[in-house]
Amino acid sequence: MAVIELKNIVHTYRKGKKETEALRGVNLTFTEGCPAALLGPSGCGKTTLLNILSGLLKPTSGQVLFDGKDVTDLSTEERNIGMLFQFPVVYDSMNVFNNLAFPLRNRKVGPAEVKERVREVARLLDLAEVLGSFPRQLTPSQKQLLALGRGIVREDTAVILLDEPMTQIDVHQRWELRRELSKVQGSLNITMIYVTHDQYEALTFAEKVVIMKDGLVVQEGSPEELYGNPKTPFVGYFIGTPGMNILDCRLAKTGLDFKGFKKEITPELRAKIETYGPDFKLGIRPEFVHCGLVQQKGWFPLKVKVVEDRGEFKIVTLTSDAEELKSQVPSDLAAEEGGTVWVNFLEDKMKIYKDDRMIN
Amino acid sequence: MKNKVLVLLLPSLLLMSISAFVPLMTVLNYSLHVLFSGSIPKYIGLENYVNALKDPAFLSSMGKQFLFCLEILLIEIPMGLALALLLPKRGIMIGPILVLLGIPLLIPWNVVGIIWRVFAREDIGALPVIFSKLGFFYNVSKVPAHAWWTIVIMDVWHWTPLVTLLCYAGLQAIPQEFYQAARVDSASKIATFRYITLPKLKYVLIIAVLLRCMDAFKIYDEPFILTAGGPGTSTELLSIFTSRQVIGGFNMGYSSAVSLIYFIVVLLLCYILYTVMTKIGEH
C-alpha cells in the first residue's frame, strides 16, 4: 500500500472548440492505510480525478505520485491499483476462484502461490464457501466483494479506488458491504479512495473526507470536522440533512440584521467580525436554531411554514417572509403551521462567513 | 374477458388456418399417397418417407445442405465478429460505414444470384478473366468445386454484414467498465477478448448462428440462378432438390413427403432458436 499524492492537477476536456475545466489545480495527499472519500455534487470533477488516479485519463498538467514515484505517464496496467465500479464488474464465464486468480495469472504468478493467495483473500472476504460458484449465483454485494478481491489479491496493490460501489446494492445490504469494506480496509491497512455524491456513505466509510466543488477541493478533514467546522457555506449546506442554514446578514449597532428579523450578539463576537465590513453570511445548523412558544429575552418571532415530523424530532421550516430557515426541534414542541414561534441561535455555534470564507 | 380475447384473435386464426394449416394438412395428406397429377391417389402410408430416406439423391442433397450451412457459419461468424471488432466505436465515419455494410443486406436473393451469375460467366464475366490473369482456371458450369465455392462466397458476401451489425450492436452494449477492470487486472488483449468480449457476446452470437443457419437452409435463388444446381447435382441443395421433385418429377406424393421432411428440419432449427431466445429473457 502506498501514499498517494496529487500535485496541482489540472484537467481540461476539449470537445471541438469548447473547453471544459474539470479540475482546476487539485493538491491532495492520501496517507497509507487511511480510508478516504471524495465527496461532491455531480460535475464537481471527482470522477475525472478518479480516472486520473487510475490512469485511464492523463491530466492536462500536474503530477500523480505513488509513494513518491511519479506515475503520471504510467498506464493503468503499470500502476498496480484495484478498482470497484458503480456495478459489480466480475468475469461471468469464470468461477469465483478463477476470478480471484485472474490478476495473478496475468502477472505470471506460479500456480501454488495463486492458490494460496486466492484462498487467503477468499477467507478474508467470506467468499471461501463459494470459490467454486459462478458469479451469477452470488448476491450483488458478494459480487462487489469479489471485484474487491481481485484488487487485494495482489500484494503490491498501491490503492483501491471505489467509484460509488453501492449504487446497485439493495439498501438493506449496503451496511453489510460497508462493514465488509471497512473490515478489509482495517485488517490489510490498505489505502482506499471512495468516490461518491452520497454524504452518508462518505462520512460513514472514511476517516478523511475531501469535499470537491467546481473542480477544486473545498475542504478536507474528518467527518466531525466537516460537520462541526465547515470552512465555506457550501460545505455547511452540503453536509448534514437538512444542511446548514445559510443566511445573509448585516452588522448593525446591537447585533446582526437579517431579512425580517434581528439577532443580538455579544461584544466579543462583534469585535471579531467588525473589521471585515458590514455584510456577512451566517451559517447555523438546524439543531442549534432553538424554538420556543413563549417570548424570552433576545429571542425573535418567526412564522412556521412547514412542520415535518421525523419521529424522534421535528424539522420546522421558519420564515420571516423574506428569509427561510430550518430548525430541529423536540417532537413534543407544539409548533403549528401558520403559527408563530420565538427563535434564538446559539451564538457559539454560529459560523460567520465573509466572501465564502469562515471568519468565526 | 378471456372469451373476448378469443373473439378478437379469431380473424387472424382464421387467416392463419387458411394460409398455413390447410395447405400443410393437404401436403401431409398428399405425402401419404402415390399421386401423379391426373391419376387417382392411392394410400401407401409412410412409404414415401421411407423411400425419401433411402433415396441417395435426397440424402446427398441433405448432406450438401448441412455442409453448406456449416461452411458459411464457419466463415461468416468469425469474419462478421472480426469486422465488428475492427469498426470504430464512435466518430463521424461510423454512420457511412454501417450504411455501406448494410447495402448487401438490402439486395434480394435472386438479384444477388444474378449479379454473381454475370460476374462468374465464362464468356463475359469478370471472375474467369481475373482468375486466368492470375494463372488459375475458373469455370462454374464445368467444375463442381468452383460452382460450390462461388455460392459459398456469394452467401458470405451477402450475409456477413448481418453478423457484423449484430455483433457491433452487441459490442456497443458492453459497459466500458469491464474493459477498464481488465486493464486494472493487467489482462492481455487475448485474455480480454476471451473473458469479457466473448462471454458478453455469447447470446448475440447464438442468435447470429441460428439466424444464419435457418437462412442457409432456405437458400434457393443463388444456386438456382448460378448453375441451376449444377454442374451435375453438385450444388443441388435441399430446396432445389425438393422443387425439382415437384416441377420435373410430377410425383406429388413423394415431393410432399420430401417437403415435409425439409419443413421439419427447418422447424427444428426454429425451435432451437425460440428456446435459446426465451432462455435469454429469463437471464
Side-chain angles (χ1 to χ4, degrees):
Chain A
M1 291 301 147
V3 177
I4 312 295
E5 282 172 277
L6 294 164
K7 286 195 172 162
N8 214 12
I9 300 282
V10 174
H11 192 78
T12 313
Y13 287 110
R14 282 194 182 79
K15 200 178 183 185
K17 279 182 184 165
K18 207 177 146 229
E19 289 192 355
T20 323
E21 272 200 317
L23 295 172
R24 304 184 291 157
V26 170
N27 288 293
L28 278 171
T29 304
F30 298 101
T31 48
E32 202 157 334
C34 171
L38 283 176
L39 177 64
S42 305
C44 72
K46 56 188 192 299
T47 303
T48 307
L49 195 62
L50 193 79
N51 287 340
I52 287 170
L53 278 168
S54 68
L56 294 168
L57 207 61
K58 197 176 169 296
T60 313
S61 70
Q63 278 183 307
V64 183
L65 306 178
F66 283 13
D67 268 342
K69 188 183 153 224
D70 191 341
V71 297
T72 320
D73 294 320
L74 292 187
S75 66
T76 306
E77 294 88 331
E78 295 163 309
R79 282 195 192 188
N80 275 335
I81 55 162
M83 197 157 178
L84 260 65
F85 299 90
Q86 294 192 5
F87 57 91
V89 174
V90 291
Y91 304 108
D92 300 321
S93 57
M94 288 189 240
N95 66 16
V96 172
F97 183 94
N98 289 333
N99 257 281
L100 290 172
F102 191 58
L104 295 175
R105 286 176 182 156
N106 287 332
R107 284 180 166 77
K108 312 269 176 266
V109 174
E113 202 189 329
V114 167
K115 207 169 178 181
E116 192 198 314
R117 285 294 301 157
V118 168
R119 292 202 182 283
E120 204 173 304
V121 166
R123 205 173 314 125
L124 181 71
L125 296 172
D126 295 334
L127 293 173
E129 306 286 306
V130 291
L131 274 178
S133 308
F134 279 86
R136 61 175 175 277
Q137 296 161 292
L138 305 182
T139 65
S141 135
Q142 278 177 316
K143 281 192 206 173
Q144 202 58 292
L145 285 174
L146 176 56
L148 173 69
R150 288 206 318 271
I152 58 175
V153 76
R154 290 172 274 139
E155 279 175 277
D156 56 351
T157 304
V159 59
I160 307 276
L161 305 170
L162 304 105
D163 186 3
E164 309 197 7
M166 302 288 179
T167 310
Q168 290 206 348
I169 313 291
D170 277 354
V171 177
H172 56 273
Q173 275 183 3
R174 284 186 186 179
W175 71 270
E176 207 179 294
L177 180 57
R178 190 159 39 235
R179 198 194 54 190
E180 203 74 31
L181 282 176
S182 298
K183 187 182 97 186
V184 169
Q185 200 284 323
S187 61
L188 295 179
N189 200 29
I190 47 182
T191 315
M192 278 192 178
I193 302 175
Y194 191 117
V195 170
T196 179
H197 60 257
D198 185 329
Q199 51 160 315
Y200 178 72
E201 277 175 31
L203 299 178
T204 48
F205 172 79
E207 278 168 31
K208 168 179 168 152
V209 178
V210 177
I211 309 238
M212 292 186 64
K213 193 197 172 202
D214 299 334
L216 286 172
V217 172
V218 199
Q219 188 174 355
E220 48 183 302
S222 68
E224 298 76 35
E225 249 173 86
L226 292 172
Y227 190 81
N229 268 321
K231 279 188 190 155
T232 72
F234 169 76
V235 176
Y237 184 73
F238 194 66
I239 302 282
T241 19
M244 195 179 230
N245 294 301
I246 307 292
L247 309 165
D248 287 319
C249 61
R250 173 179 271 264
L251 191 62
K253 267 185 191 161
T254 56
L256 291 165
D257 272 3
F258 293 88
K259 289 177 189 155
F261 59 95
K262 275 180 195 168
K263 154 85 183 138
E264 284 172 24
I265 56 171
T266 55
E268 294 86 50
L269 179 60
R270 187 187 171 78
K272 258 195 213 167
I273 63 172
E274 210 166 23
T275 51
Y276 293 96
D279 293 307
F280 301 97
K281 271 190 164 52
L282 174 114
I284 182 119
R285 295 237 169 248
E287 56 267 42
F288 305 129
V289 176
H290 286 186
C291 293
L293 296 175
V294 284
Q295 188 176 1
Q296 294 177 55
K297 191 183 174 292
W299 290 43
F300 43 88
L302 285 174
K303 256 194 268 172
V304 177
K305 195 179 172 190
V306 183
V307 179
E308 267 176 79
D309 201 333
R310 300 247 176 122
E312 48 190 324
F313 56 82
K314 282 178 186 166
I315 299 291
V316 178
T317 307
L318 305 162
T319 176
S320 71
D321 293 329
E323 189 76 277
E324 258 183 33
L325 61 142
K326 288 192 156 80
S327 166
Q328 182 180 322
V329 299
S331 55
D332 56 0
L333 187 91
E336 271 176 34
E337 287 181 16
T340 303
V341 288
W342 293 89
V343 180
N344 193 22
F345 299 157
L346 285 187
E347 191 175 289
D348 59 334
K349 300 291 185 189
M350 283 175 15
K351 303 292 164 197
I352 306 219
Y353 300 95
K354 176 75 183 176
D355 300 331
D356 272 359
R357 296 204 139 162
M358 188 164 69
I359 52 171
N360 179 60
Chain B
M1 192 61 210
K2 222 165 187 181
N3 293 335
K4 216 180 234 175
V5 170
L6 284 177
V7 170
L8 290 171
L9 276 175
L10 201 64
S12 49
L13 285 176
L14 214 66
L15 208 69
M16 256 184 58
S17 66
I18 294 168
S19 65
F21 190 69
V22 173
L24 193 66
M25 286 304 117
T26 315
V27 171
L28 183 64
N29 185 29
Y30 284 176
S31 73
L32 304 173
H33 294 80
V34 174
L35 176 63
F36 287 91
S37 43
S39 69
I40 295 156
K42 184 185 155 220
Y43 181 78
I44 52 162
L46 291 174
E47 209 181 301
N48 277 328
Y49 292 91
V50 176
N51 286 343
L53 294 173
K54 280 185 191 157
D55 181 353
F58 172 71
L59 293 177
S60 145
S61 73
M62 179 78 93
K64 272 178 266 187
Q65 186 65 66
F66 274 101
L67 183 69
F68 176 76
C69 186
L70 189 72
E71 280 172 359
I72 64 127
L73 286 180
L74 283 178
I75 301 171
E76 287 175 17
I77 300 296
M79 200 158 111
L81 176 59
L83 272 172
L85 287 167
L86 287 175
L87 290 183
K89 285 234 175 296
R90 54 185 74 83
I92 47 166
M93 283 316 292
I94 190 62
I97 291 174
L98 291 181
V99 170
L100 274 176
L101 271 174
I103 286 175
L105 299 177
L106 300 176
I107 305 175
W109 293 263
N110 55 350
V111 177
V112 171
I114 291 164
I115 291 170
W116 282 78
R117 163 89 174 124
V118 173
F119 205 37
R121 268 178 79 129
E122 52 271 37
D123 49 356
I124 56 165
L127 270 182
V129 178
I130 294 167
F131 275 116
S132 74
K133 284 258 155 70
L134 292 169
F136 297 106
F137 172 72
Y138 172 83
N139 190 327
V140 285
S141 51
K142 288 208 175 74
V143 187
H146 292 176
W148 179 265
W149 287 108
T150 305
I151 294 164
V152 169
I153 287 164
M154 229 189 266
D155 197 81
V156 168
W157 176 83
H158 197 183
W159 292 110
T160 305
L162 177 75
V163 180
T164 304
L165 293 182
L166 282 172
C167 290
Y168 186 71
L171 285 172
Q172 295 288 66
I174 303 175
Q176 277 311 301
E177 280 83 350
F178 282 95
Y179 292 101
Q180 294 178 4
R183 289 184 62 188
V184 166
D185 291 338
S186 310
S188 65
K189 282 226 160 72
I190 293 169
T192 308
F193 177 76
R194 164 76 183 77
Y195 295 110
I196 296 173
T197 310
L198 217 49
K200 293 275 164 210
L201 279 187
K202 191 171 124 196
Y203 292 112
V204 169
L205 286 173
I206 289 174
I207 288 176
V209 165
L210 288 167
L211 278 177
R212 286 310 307 126
C213 194
M214 278 165 52
D215 266 358
F217 261 81
K218 291 188 288 188
I219 189 169
Y220 177 82
D221 304 47
E222 288 97 324
F224 185 75
I225 290 169
L226 190 73
T227 57
T233 57
S234 58
T235 58
E236 198 177 87
L237 298 171
L238 208 46
S239 56
I240 296 181
F241 175 84
T242 309
S243 63
R244 192 162 280 170
Q245 299 313 308
V246 188
I247 296 165
F250 304 106
N251 188 346
M252 294 300 161
Y254 183 66
S255 45
S256 295
V258 167
S259 300
L260 274 177
I261 296 172
Y262 183 22
F263 172 69
I264 287 163
V265 170
V266 176
L267 196 70
L268 224 64
L269 286 171
C270 285
Y271 175 74
I272 297 168
L273 178 71
Y274 174 79
T275 322
V276 168
M277 283 177 86
T278 43
K279 278 241 171 81
I280 292 173
E282 284 163 22
H283 200 73

